[in-house]
Amino acid sequence: MSTFSFIEATEWHCAGCDRPLVPTPVKVSYLHSVFNVELMACPGCGFVYVPESLALGKMLEVEQLLEDK
Amino acid sequence: MVAVSLPAALPPLYEQPELTWLTGGALRPGGVTLTRELLSCCRPAPGARVLDVGCGPGHSLAVLADEFGLEVSGVDPSAAMLARAARRVPQATLARGRVEGLPYAASSFDILLCECVLSLGEDEQRSLAEMDRVLQPGGLLILTDIYSRDGGRAPQLAVTTCLSRALPLNAITDTLTRTGYSLPLVRDRSDLLKQLAGQIIFSCGSLEQFWALFMDPDNARRTACTLAGARLGYYALVAVKGGHHG
């Protein structure tokens, strides 16, 4: 029931498996917490593509939240 | 459970499918993992009578019955929630009611479980007194809830939420000890509140976008802004009735 998605059409292929990335539910461990996020990943080896919007945007927002005020 | 006062046409937040999905169905920080953790600390005797106050859709009732072998009862003001609980835990005895007026005789239960519900009531002193009435002497009261880390200054929001009714933790513990309870376990579990807020950001894009699912954009922005400056935490405690005489 996620209303927001990091899934995006991408030209990226997994270098090791040479397979296109597909939407995959993954668990992101970050600052001692674990979050369920759907990201593009290789269906063969599980390699996960972390988009810039996640790394520089949402991660920062969550980091600010998790830091003790 | 987390609830927001909404226009009459909309069901409360804890009946919204988004919150069910975000919390794995338990509708509160920590989910049944925290329930299991607290019950494991208490080591209740199989067959003990337990009441889940504000049982919602019955996720905790299922843990209490299936994993701990307890005789389970649940009470909730929502008929929709009770219907889901009845399907999930057919052996549970269910009743419609609120924490301020529990439909049970005095000393009916060995254990009371009240997860993120006390702050939803209109009068926490009355709610605690009512739970005390139906708990037998020597019984266990297991509480988890939002609390204010600002010494009593709960956030003033454009809408009424349980977050607005967050009390300082010592207001709860002082009342319990004054009433004669001992507190063998009091834990700060604010990590679970942050975990849920973080999951909301990953799932909805931002906290503001989450609130906008249930209210107009202006109120959503104000609510997110106010909560960003609030110092809220989450606690878990186990209290023993009659375990303290002071």
Side-chain angles (χ1 to χ4, degrees), chain A residues 13-20 42:
Chain A
H13 276 55
C14 175
C17 306
D18 193 28
R19 297 175 69 174
C42 172

Side-chain angles (χ1 to χ4, degrees), chain A residues 4-15:
Chain A
F4 176 85
S5 180
F6 294 101
I7 299 303
E8 56 185 45
T10 173
E11 298 295 313
W12 287 92
H13 276 55
C14 175

Side-chain angles (χ1 to χ4, degrees), chain B residues 97-129:
Chain B
R98 300 188 64 86
V99 60
E100 301 95 336
L102 297 170
Y104 304 99
S107 304
S108 294
F109 298 98
D110 304 303
I111 303 170
L112 255 63
L113 177 69
C114 184
E115 300 171 293
C116 205
V117 166
L118 193 58
S119 57
L120 289 177
E122 293 170 1
D123 182 342
E124 56 285 336
Q125 295 296 324
R126 187 172 155 200
S127 299
L128 286 170

Side-chain angles (χ1 to χ4, degrees), chain A residues 6-8 10 12 21 26-30 37-42 46-59, chain B residues 202:
Chain A
F6 294 101
I7 299 303
E8 56 185 45
T10 173
W12 287 92
L21 306 185
V26 300
K27 288 186 182 297
V28 175
S29 295
Y30 191 55
V37 187
E38 198 172 40
L39 295 171
M40 301 301 286
C42 172
F47 165 84
V48 175
Y49 169 65
V50 178
E52 189 174 334
S53 62
L54 172 60
L56 300 179
K58 295 308 161 197
M59 285 295 197
Chain B
F202 281 126

Side-chain angles (χ1 to χ4, degrees), chain B residues 22-240:
Chain B
L22 285 164
T23 61
L27 308 177
R28 60 178 180 275
V32 293
T33 302
L34 180 58
T35 310
R36 195 174 285 122
E37 180 185 311
L38 293 169
L39 264 292
S40 296
C41 289
C42 296
R43 287 180 290 180
R49 301 161 303 169
V50 58
L51 172 66
D52 185 358
V53 180
C55 64
H59 288 263
S60 291
L61 287 173
V63 170
L64 299 171
D66 299 341
E67 299 180 24
F68 292 91
L70 304 180
E71 185 183 311
V72 295
S73 298
V75 61
D76 199 280
S78 162
M81 286 292 168
L82 288 171
R84 290 167 60 186
R87 284 195 295 274
R88 179 165 285 110
V89 195
Q91 69 270 41
T93 303
L94 301 173
R96 196 168 182 186
R98 300 188 64 86
V99 60
E100 301 95 336
L102 297 170
Y104 304 99
S107 304
S108 294
F109 298 98
D110 304 303
I111 303 170
L112 255 63
L113 177 69
C114 184
E115 300 171 293
C116 205
V117 166
L118 193 58
S119 57
L120 289 177
E122 293 170 1
D123 182 342
E124 56 285 336
Q125 295 296 324
R126 187 172 155 200
S127 299
L128 286 170
E130 186 62 354
M131 288 195 282
D132 179 64
R133 182 184 66 79
V134 303
L135 183 63
Q136 76 158 12
L140 300 177
L141 173 60
I142 302 172
L143 283 179
T144 71
D145 213 340
I146 303 265
Y147 76 95
S148 165
R149 296 161 65 201
D150 263 355
R153 289 184 292 116
Q156 298 303 302
L157 303 177
V159 293
T160 305
T161 76
C162 70
L163 303 172
S164 304
R165 297 193 54 79
L167 293 171
L169 179 52
N170 63 8
I172 302 296
T173 55
D174 287 354
T175 298
L176 290 171
T177 51
R178 261 201 320 275
T179 317
Y181 283 78
S182 65
L183 298 169
L185 184 149
V186 180
R187 287 184 184 158
D188 185 298
R189 296 310 307 270
S190 301
D191 58 310
L192 299 173
L193 186 61
K194 292 177 178 178
Q195 161 82 35
L196 178 55
Q199 184 63 59
I200 287 172
I201 290 173
F202 281 126
S203 299
C204 301
S206 69
L207 293 171
E208 181 178 330
Q209 285 171 276
F210 170 72
W211 289 111
L213 293 172
F214 317 107
M215 60 185 74
D216 66 72
D218 283 345
N219 270 330
R221 187 164 47 252
R222 275 196 291 270
T223 300
C225 242
T226 306
L227 288 175
R231 287 175 56 83
L232 297 172
Y234 202 75
Y235 71 84
L237 68 80
V238 176
V240 182

